[in-house]
Amino acid sequence: MSTIPIVPDSGTAYGRKAPTHKAELTEVGAGTPMGELLRRYWHPIGLTRDASDTPREVRVLGETLILFRDGEGRAGVVHPRCAHRGASLYYGKVEARGIRCCYHGWLFDVQGHCLEQPCEPQLGERSRGKVRQPWYPVQERYGLIWLYLGPPDCKPLLPHYDALEVVETGEFIEADDSSIGGGGPQIIPCNWLQHYENLVDPFHVPILHASFSGTQFVPAMAVMPEVEFETVEAGVRTTSLRQLPDGTTLRRISEAALPTLRVIPNPRIGSYGRVESIGWVLPLDDHHFRIYVAGRVKASGDLVRMRSRLNGKLWEELTPEEHQRFPGDYEAQVSQGPIGAHSEEHLVTSDRGIVMIRKLLRRQLDALREGRDPAGIVRDPQAGPVRFAAGNYLLQRDSAQPQPALD
Amino acid sequence: MSTIPIVPDSGTAYGRKAPTHKAELTEVGAGTPMGELLRRYWHPIGLTRDASDTPREVRVLGETLILFRDGEGRAGVVHPRCAHRGASLYYGKVEARGIRCCYHGWLFDVQGHCLEQPCEPQLGERSRGKVRQPWYPVQERYGLIWLYLGPPDCKPLLPHYDALEVVETGEFIEADDSSIGGGGPQIIPCNWLQHYENLVDPFHVPILHASFSGTQFVPAMAVMPEVEFETVEAGVRTTSLRQLPDGTTLRRISEAALPTLRVIPNPRIGSYGRVESIGWVLPLDDHHFRIYVAGRVKASGDLVRMRSRLNGKLWEELTPEEHQRFPGDYEAQVSQGPIGAHSEEHLVTSDRGIVMIRKLLRRQLDALREGRDPAGIVRDPQAGPVRFAAGNYLLQRDSAQPQPALD
Amino acid sequence: MSTIPIVPDSGTAYGRKAPTHKAELTEVGAGTPMGELLRRYWHPIGLTRDASDTPREVRVLGETLILFRDGEGRAGVVHPRCAHRGASLYYGKVEARGIRCCYHGWLFDVQGHCLEQPCEPQLGERSRGKVRQPWYPVQERYGLIWLYLGPPDCKPLLPHYDALEVVETGEFIEADDSSIGGGGPQIIPCNWLQHYENLVDPFHVPILHASFSGTQFVPAMAVMPEVEFETVEAGVRTTSLRQLPDGTTLRRISEAALPTLRVIPNPRIGSYGRVESIGWVLPLDDHHFRIYVAGRVKASGDLVRMRSRLNGKLWEELTPEEHQRFPGDYEAQVSQGPIGAHSEEHLVTSDRGIVMIRKLLRRQLDALREGRDPAGIVRDPQAGPVRFAAGNYLLQRDSAQPQPALD
């Protein structure tokens, strides 16, 4: 039998290596590099109304905690297991001075001080002073509850933001917890970095949000932009220029800022000008995140109306077939896996924003290791609000640079 | 800028250690210290009627087993995987002499002897004699099926109990498998020790079962008791004295006895006198338990009518909001975690019963290690029934000690 | 007290060893011995119609893959994570030349070549040439999609089978994916070997499929057969002789062939003669398999009508009580566990087919280790179709050997 020489197939999936991910950039548990970095900042963990006399379980950076508001109006966040014998304070009774465990009635204030031990009439204040329910400091601003989970002696100030402080006539600040921008449900089952990196990826917009889904935003957004990336002090700024059919140019600036900020102008471009809202990507654990948003609105509910729709349907109203046929941010990012397989990536020129944000994160890990504050930490009470260049701007045909320089 | 010296927060949850549990007191698998200790006693694993010609899967101490009753009335418990090729005897056919595997028809008696191999006409009795389906010895008493899972040469007698042997006119013995006393469903998803320790914790009663839930039992039980704990030969006895508004004193004695007995008088105190029932906490595995009860009743169903209710609703009828707002034993104990985090406990004077029961358990682990029988093992067939001091007793105003001494 | 000497129980389940399984015969992941052996053969992974312009997720040997058919009719199978940034090609758009990722629009052909990178206008063909989406070679035959997941330079020919090539008048070839022969649903939650071994176990038929289930096939199959096993070049052949009441003899030959073939004549014996169909047991992963079948039929749907029924009900229509009372292949094999506990088996004379098939598999593992092709690999394009002796044959009273010798 004469045999024909056969060229073996190339590039098949046989023998490929087990995928790996960049743990130092993605994992958020206590004691991990990124977990400790994120613990140096304040994070929004609920809406103001979430702190009430009904204890509420919250997940943050791999920790489960109990949020409540005592009868004097103070919001508190405590470790769920009662310091006595570990019954959960989820079943606690909220009183004027704090939260009382259901099992033996120990009462704790918002800072974990033990105020009462009703089954211990012999034990006085001194004994109670040795008991402390683990707690975290809380602040409230912009309709959100903020939590600091880091080392006590590193606690920074909770920053003010220009976009939320300088409010125009008829506008007010509203907060939202529906994970606007996530393209799916409130809790999104993949690592937070997959979403955070998406913020510095304007190229996917004309593909995922126009070619695949139909025009999800506005026709202008379907144009493939010219893009410039820039690392600024505490983030990566993306400037996208789109030449529009009428000869004007859409100049769109968005920022991914430390620690987890989405500073993204409305992709539906209701009006031109500076960014309307700020979002915070909250890692619940290594494999889940959600997004809190605060923004300037003219009517209550303006924020939640920004949630993505497809043929008028919200994500949870789509059939499995529609999810497959019209994928959005949720499908693209969640399908990267619980944590993306970085070892299998092929980054190209359009991914340089992603390269930059990873470098920025690594520099902050270095800062921590070297005992310095990471970028974006505010310690000066006199510092003015943080300003971003982000916004949608329209350049007229003859206008070369219509915007004031921002930095 | 002049800076105000800031005192860092104290007692926050940052940097707390990973919780640990006392494995030697909680884990029940074969070969573990507590698993081997519990394997030295008989345990109820079903109601008499559970053993029938329909094979039934039971979980005990981390093992899955098959319970059946052959055509001659003998209850049997065997390992599920057929000794031949491992098909489950759950699919077996129960016959006069034993249980027959569905796959190739091997027939085993209640002691695992192989009686038939229908696909092996050449193989005789001698070959069959080499095959043994793993089995455990069974007894029946008090309406319950009892199993001994320990070393064959350590098998003790199945104890008789005074509370179930000395029956008054109009009373009879009834058994129940609804996990009375567990405050929840039949199978409770946490470690058995969390419930067993609850038996020596009378202080939680006025808090959890009165202040939190509303008066769950009777008003007298809402009074904070004076309590005395006593280690007796095979258990810890708790005596709670409550001064009632009418000048009488409620003297309530309960016992946690080895290995897993709840000797708890009715908290609804239908009548005074010695304890009406005994419960056995059966660890299904490290993270699940259930409770079997046998008691003297006057009408069928008296036991199951003791199940906790809230506003007339059984546990499974409550909404999630009601579970949170009106927690009971189930919520308190299950919320301690699959296995409680002992490293985070702060035991105080009201927890001395818990300290005593742990010591008692540890002494039995020592006994095992030293080759001695643990306490509560009965080997003398002439021994009278085990008696407990437990009961609800009413002391009149002038009466100092109205009860006969019990030991 | 005089004590009666007590003989301790023997053969109890106490102290039995943790069960183990033969990993080298059962586990199918990449890099495992059996995984690598199975990767030397083509496997059916779908029906022809499963490859379409809607991407479809398939599981094979522990790998998740995407099956599609491009606009030019070519079926393709690729790794799900896009080579760019890992979004799943499940959400891809199928086009004339291949499949396009939803995230940034990279287009891949059925061999994983990158044809377009729409966000990379500067990068040309040379850059794209460095990117390859991992893929596997595909063929189509007998209504099935075939996949080769092995080393490219070992890729064999896809065999032809006499049973599917020599078609009689009025017959045509049909394919089915309902896991005919599995006795249950499409996906069966246990290791593939449990089913494969069942093929060389004719003794279970009169027990499981007659005594337990009632007459599941035809009365003749309820007769306990005389059985002869024979290792042939690429399989184990089982010849079962049944003496029927009318003096005739049913001679039934079935084969388990490499790699996973079920060559089993219809147990309902519609007509006598050579085997009508071939099945392939596809391991989805270590704990799940499914069966694809191709066969000669006279009417569309003849194959799926072979699915087991009990009192006219399909498996999924039975109640839990019926599943327990009338177990079939599914219940027997799945109840052996996710992977059978080989350390607890007691193999006897009726299991010699199982011993032979395990030896046959081990010899192929040896061949692989020694750098030789395992049995059943076809490399000669001139080779005729593979023939099997399998079939149902009726021997008349006076007829000693009515069948032509087949080998």
Side-chain angles (χ1 to χ4, degrees):
Chain A
M1 191 183 79
S2 80
T3 56
I4 305 151
I6 291 168
V7 180
D9 296 321
S10 64
T12 80
Y14 179 78
R16 71 187 186 285
K17 287 180 194 153
T20 59
H21 67 268
K22 298 182 189 295
E24 75 284 8
L25 295 184
T26 51
E27 300 179 7
V28 297
T32 63
M34 184 52 67
E36 290 302 306
L37 173 58
L38 292 175
R39 276 170 176 75
R40 296 300 180 92
Y41 301 87
W42 290 88
H43 296 272
I45 57 125
L47 301 179
T48 295
R49 66 164 181 264
D50 291 344
S52 76
D53 60 359
T54 298
R56 185 182 177 96
E57 211 173 83
V58 294
R59 286 281 286 170
V60 193
L61 302 180
E63 303 187 32
T64 299
L65 301 165
I66 301 295
L67 169 66
F68 68 100
R69 186 183 302 279
D70 72 18
E72 289 167 11
R74 288 175 296 226
V77 167
V78 288
H79 187 52
R81 284 194 291 271
C82 173
H84 177 209
R85 296 211 48 238
S88 176
L89 294 174
Y90 174 78
Y91 295 109
K93 193 183 286 176
V94 175
E95 304 187 355
R97 296 192 300 159
I99 189 167
R100 188 183 293 279
C101 178
C102 73
Y103 206 1
H104 302 90
W106 290 19
L107 178 68
F108 304 101
D109 72 10
V110 294
Q111 291 196 324
H113 297 103
C114 184
L115 307 181
E116 289 185 19
Q117 295 175 320
C119 305
E120 298 295 328
Q122 280 80 19
L123 294 182
E125 200 177 318
R126 194 165 152 189
S127 154
R128 284 200 301 278
K130 293 182 194 152
V131 176
R132 195 76 177 268
Q133 181 65 20
W135 67 287
Y136 285 121
V138 171
Q139 291 193 59
E140 299 190 61
R141 187 176 296 163
Y142 305 137
L144 297 167
I145 309 269
W146 298 81
L147 196 67
Y148 175 72
L149 300 93
D153 54 357
C154 299
K155 188 172 73 176
L157 296 174
L158 173 60
H160 291 264
Y161 296 99
D162 175 88
L164 303 173
E165 297 284 343
V166 181
V167 176
E168 275 144 71
T169 316
E171 287 183 342
F172 60 96
I173 298 302
E174 183 177 51
D176 180 272
D177 66 352
S178 66
S179 289
I180 296 164
Q186 236 178 4
I187 293 177
I188 300 178
C190 72
N191 186 263
W192 71 283
L193 187 67
Q194 280 144 250
H195 184 82
Y196 192 57
E197 290 181 345
N198 187 61
L199 303 180
V200 289
D201 176 4
F203 295 101
H204 82 278
V205 175
I207 309 290
L208 185 67
H209 299 298
S211 158
F212 265 75
S213 58
T215 301
Q216 198 175 342
F217 304 135
V218 289
M221 292 297 283
V223 175
M224 182 64 71
E226 266 176 72
V227 179
E228 202 177 298
F229 295 102
E230 202 180 342
T231 296
V232 292
E233 200 257 335
V236 170
R237 181 180 301 159
T238 305
T239 303
S240 303
L241 295 174
R242 285 173 169 88
Q243 307 304 330
L244 302 186
D246 66 358
T248 60
T249 300
L250 171 61
R251 185 185 187 223
R252 180 173 160 81
I253 304 175
S254 60
E255 297 187 59
L258 292 171
T260 68
L261 275 66
R262 343 176 348 116
V263 193
I264 307 287
N266 188 346
R268 284 182 196 73
I269 316 177
S271 62
Y272 296 99
R274 66 186 172 120
V275 69
E276 306 87 349
S277 68
I278 297 178
W280 289 265
V281 183
L282 179 70
L284 306 187
D285 53 34
D286 293 347
H287 303 133
H288 298 85
F289 72 90
R290 63 183 300 170
I291 302 168
Y292 287 98
V293 173
R296 304 189 314 276
V297 298
K298 294 201 161 129
S300 177
D302 272 0
L303 288 182
V304 75
R305 279 188 283 274
M306 286 172 64
R307 280 196 65 200
S308 293
R309 283 171 187 271
L310 188 90
N311 302 329
K313 287 177 168 181
L314 288 171
W315 182 88
E316 55 269 29
E317 297 166 344
L318 298 175
T319 63
E321 291 70 29
E322 288 172 320
H323 281 299
Q324 183 179 17
R325 197 157 159 210
F326 306 110
D329 281 321
Y330 176 92
E331 287 74 22
Q333 292 162 35
V334 171
S335 77
Q336 289 177 306
I339 302 186
H342 301 118
S343 62
E344 298 187 348
E345 289 176 332
H346 289 81
L347 299 188
V348 286
T349 68
S350 52
D351 298 307
R352 57 199 189 275
I354 286 157
V355 172
M356 286 161 78
I357 199 104
R358 291 181 185 175
K359 274 192 191 151
L360 181 71
L361 288 171
R362 283 185 199 286
R363 275 204 303 277
Q364 314 318 312
L365 296 177
D366 291 344
L368 231 64
R369 248 191 316 268
E370 292 160 12
R372 290 178 287 116
D373 265 346
I377 290 292
V378 176
R379 298 214 175 274
D380 177 2
Q382 310 305 324
V386 178
R387 267 182 99 190
F388 296 108
N392 288 315
Y393 306 103
L394 195 67
L395 311 197
Q396 296 307 326
R397 194 187 299 257
D398 304 323
S399 143
Q401 175 62 4
Q403 298 302 325
L406 270 156
D407 40 24
Chain B
M1 189 183 79
S2 80
T3 56
I4 304 151
I6 291 169
V7 180
D9 295 321
S10 64
T12 80
Y14 179 78
R16 71 186 186 287
K17 288 179 192 154
T20 59
H21 67 267
K22 298 181 189 295
E24 75 283 8
L25 295 184
T26 51
E27 299 179 8
V28 297
T32 63
M34 183 54 65
E36 290 302 307
L37 173 58
L38 291 175
R39 275 170 177 77
R40 295 301 179 91
Y41 301 86
W42 290 88
H43 296 272
I45 58 123
L47 301 179
T48 295
R49 67 163 181 265
D50 291 343
S52 77
D53 60 0
T54 299
R56 185 182 176 96
E57 210 174 84
V58 294
R59 285 281 286 170
V60 193
L61 302 180
E63 303 187 31
T64 299
L65 301 165
I66 301 296
L67 169 67
F68 68 98
R69 186 183 301 280
D70 71 18
E72 289 167 10
R74 288 174 296 226
V77 168
V78 289
H79 186 52
R81 283 193 292 272
C82 174
H84 178 209
R85 295 210 48 235
S88 177
L89 294 174
Y90 174 78
Y91 295 108
K93 193 184 288 175
V94 176
E95 304 187 354
R97 297 193 298 160
I99 189 167
R100 188 183 292 280
C101 177
C102 73
Y103 206 3
H104 303 89
W106 290 20
L107 178 68
F108 304 101
D109 72 11
V110 293
Q111 292 195 323
H113 297 104
C114 185
L115 307 180
E116 290 185 18
Q117 296 176 321
C119 305
E120 297 296 326
Q122 279 80 19
L123 295 181
E125 200 178 318
R126 194 163 153 189
S127 155
R128 283 199 302 278
K130 292 183 195 150
V131 176
R132 196 77 177 266
Q133 181 65 22
W135 66 287
Y136 285 122
V138 171
Q139 290 193 59
E140 300 190 59
R141 187 175 297 163
Y142 305 137
L144 297 167
I145 309 269
W146 298 81
L147 195 68
Y148 175 72
L149 301 93
D153 54 356
C154 299
K155 187 173 73 175
L157 296 174
L158 173 61
H160 291 264
Y161 296 99
D162 174 88
L164 303 174
E165 296 285 342
V166 181
V167 176
E168 275 145 69
T169 316
E171 287 183 342
F172 59 97
I173 299 300
E174 184 178 50
D176 180 90
D177 66 351
S178 67
S179 289
I180 296 163
Q186 236 177 4
I187 293 177
I188 300 179
C190 71
N191 186 264
W192 70 284
L193 187 66
Q194 278 143 251
H195 183 82
Y196 192 57
E197 290 182 344
N198 186 60
L199 304 179
V200 290
D201 176 3
F203 296 101
H204 82 279
V205 175
I207 308 290
L208 185 67
H209 298 299
S211 157
F212 265 76
S213 59
T215 301
Q216 198 175 341
F217 303 137
V218 288
M221 293 297 282
V223 175
M224 182 65 72
E226 268 177 68
V227 179
E228 203 177 296
F229 295 103
E230 203 179 340
T231 296
V232 291
E233 201 255 336
V236 170
R237 181 180 300 158
T238 305
T239 303
S240 303
L241 295 174
R242 284 175 169 88
Q243 308 303 331
L244 303 186
D246 65 359
T248 59
T249 300
L250 172 60
R251 184 183 187 225
R252 181 174 160 80
I253 305 176
S254 60
E255 298 188 58
L258 292 171
T260 68
L261 275 67
R262 346 179 342 119
V263 194
I264 308 287
N266 188 344
R268 285 182 197 73
I269 317 178
S271 63
Y272 295 99
R274 66 187 171 119
V275 69
E276 305 89 350
S277 68
I278 298 178
W280 289 265
V281 183
L282 179 69
L284 306 187
D285 54 33
D286 293 347
H287 303 133
H288 298 84
F289 71 91
R290 63 183 300 169
I291 302 168
Y292 287 98
V293 173
R296 305 188 313 277
V297 298
K298 293 202 162 128
S300 178
D302 273 358
L303 288 182
V304 76
R305 279 187 284 274
M306 286 173 64
R307 280 195 65 199
S308 293
R309 283 170 188 271
L310 188 91
N311 301 332
K313 287 176 169 181
L314 288 171
W315 181 88
E316 56 270 29
E317 297 166 345
L318 298 175
T319 63
E321 291 71 29
E322 288 171 320
H323 281 299
Q324 183 178 15
R325 196 158 161 209
F326 306 110
D329 281 321
Y330 176 92
E331 286 74 21
Q333 293 162 36
V334 171
S335 76
Q336 290 177 305
I339 301 186
H342 300 119
S343 62
E344 298 187 349
E345 289 175 333
H346 289 80
L347 299 187
V348 285
T349 67
S350 53
D351 298 308
R352 57 199 190 276
I354 286 157
V355 172
M356 287 160 78
I357 200 104
R358 291 183 185 175
K359 274 191 190 152
L360 181 72
L361 288 172
R362 283 185 198 287
R363 275 203 303 278
Q364 313 318 313
L365 296 177
D366 290 344
L368 231 65
R369 249 191 313 269
E370 293 159 11
R372 289 179 287 115
D373 266 347
I377 290 292
V378 176
R379 297 214 177 275
D380 178 3
Q382 310 303 325
V386 178
R387 269 183 97 190
F388 295 108
N392 288 315
Y393 305 103
L394 195 67
L395 311 196
Q396 296 306 328
R397 192 185 301 257
D398 303 324
S399 142
Q401 175 63 4
Q403 298 302 324
L406 271 156
D407 42 23
Chain C
M1 190 183 78
S2 78
T3 56
I4 305 151
I6 291 169
V7 180
D9 295 322
S10 64
T12 80
Y14 179 77
R16 70 186 186 287
K17 289 179 190 151
T20 59
H21 67 267
K22 298 181 189 298
E24 75 283 9
L25 295 184
T26 52
E27 299 179 8
V28 297
T32 63
M34 183 54 66
E36 290 302 306
L37 174 57
L38 292 175
R39 275 171 177 76
R40 296 300 180 93
Y41 300 87
W42 290 87
H43 296 272
I45 56 124
L47 301 179
T48 295
R49 67 164 181 266
D50 291 343
S52 76
D53 60 0
T54 299
R56 185 182 177 96
E57 211 174 83
V58 294
R59 287 280 287 169
V60 192
L61 302 180
E63 303 187 31
T64 298
L65 301 165
I66 301 296
L67 169 66
F68 69 98
R69 186 184 301 280
D70 72 18
E72 289 167 11
R74 286 174 298 225
V77 168
V78 289
H79 186 52
R81 284 194 291 272
C82 173
H84 178 210
R85 295 211 48 237
S88 176
L89 294 175
Y90 174 78
Y91 295 108
K93 193 183 287 176
V94 176
E95 304 187 355
R97 297 193 299 159
I99 189 167
R100 186 183 296 278
C101 177
C102 73
Y103 206 3
H104 303 89
W106 290 20
L107 178 68
F108 303 101
D109 72 10
V110 294
Q111 292 196 324
H113 297 104
C114 184
L115 306 180
E116 290 185 18
Q117 296 175 319
C119 306
E120 299 295 327
Q122 280 79 18
L123 295 181
E125 199 177 319
R126 193 166 154 189
S127 155
R128 284 199 302 279
K130 292 183 193 149
V131 176
R132 195 77 177 268
Q133 182 64 22
W135 67 287
Y136 285 122
V138 172
Q139 291 193 57
E140 300 189 61
R141 186 176 298 163
Y142 305 138
L144 296 167
I145 309 269
W146 298 81
L147 196 66
Y148 175 73
L149 301 94
D153 54 357
C154 298
K155 187 172 74 175
L157 296 174
L158 173 61
H160 291 264
Y161 297 98
D162 174 89
L164 302 173
E165 297 285 342
V166 181
V167 177
E168 276 146 68
T169 316
E171 287 183 343
F172 59 96
I173 299 300
E174 184 177 51
D176 180 272
D177 65 352
S178 67
S179 290
I180 295 164
Q186 237 178 3
I187 292 177
I188 299 179
C190 71
N191 186 263
W192 71 283
L193 187 67
Q194 279 144 250
H195 183 83
Y196 193 57
E197 290 181 345
N198 186 61
L199 304 180
V200 289
D201 175 4
F203 295 101
H204 82 278
V205 175
I207 309 287
L208 185 67
H209 299 299
S211 158
F212 266 75
S213 59
T215 301
Q216 200 176 342
F217 304 135
V218 288
M221 292 298 283
V223 175
M224 182 66 71
E226 267 177 69
V227 178
E228 202 177 297
F229 295 103
E230 203 180 342
T231 297
V232 292
E233 201 256 334
V236 170
R237 180 180 301 158
T238 305
T239 303
S240 303
L241 295 174
R242 285 173 168 88
Q243 308 303 330
L244 302 186
D246 66 358
T248 59
T249 300
L250 172 60
R251 185 185 187 221
R252 180 173 161 80
I253 305 176
S254 59
E255 297 188 58
L258 291 170
T260 68
L261 275 66
R262 347 179 341 118
V263 194
I264 308 287
N266 188 344
R268 283 181 197 74
I269 316 179
S271 63
Y272 296 100
R274 65 186 171 120
V275 70
E276 305 89 348
S277 68
I278 298 177
W280 290 265
V281 183
L282 179 70
L284 306 187
D285 54 34
D286 293 347
H287 303 132
H288 298 85
F289 71 90
R290 64 183 300 170
I291 301 168
Y292 287 97
V293 174
R296 306 188 313 276
V297 298
K298 293 201 163 127
S300 179
D302 273 358
L303 288 183
V304 76
R305 280 188 284 275
M306 285 173 64
R307 279 196 65 200
S308 293
R309 283 171 188 270
L310 188 90
N311 302 331
K313 288 177 169 181
L314 288 171
W315 182 89
E316 56 269 29
E317 297 167 344
L318 297 175
T319 64
E321 291 71 28
E322 288 172 319
H323 281 298
Q324 183 179 17
R325 196 157 160 210
F326 306 110
D329 280 322
Y330 176 91
E331 286 75 21
Q333 292 161 36
V334 171
S335 77
Q336 289 177 307
I339 302 186
H342 300 118
S343 61
E344 298 187 349
E345 289 176 332
H346 289 81
L347 298 187
V348 286
T349 68
S350 53
D351 299 308
R352 58 200 189 274
I354 286 156
V355 172
M356 286 160 78
I357 199 105
R358 291 183 185 174
K359 274 191 190 152
L360 181 71
L361 288 172
R362 284 186 198 286
R363 275 202 304 276
Q364 313 318 314
L365 297 178
D366 291 343
L368 231 63
R369 248 192 315 268
E370 293 159 12
R372 289 178 288 116
D373 265 346
I377 290 292
V378 176
R379 299 214 175 275
D380 177 2
Q382 310 303 324
V386 179
R387 269 182 97 190
F388 296 107
N392 288 314
Y393 305 104
L394 194 68
L395 311 196
Q396 296 306 325
R397 193 187 300 258
D398 304 323
S399 143
Q401 175 62 5
Q403 299 302 327
L406 271 156
D407 40 24

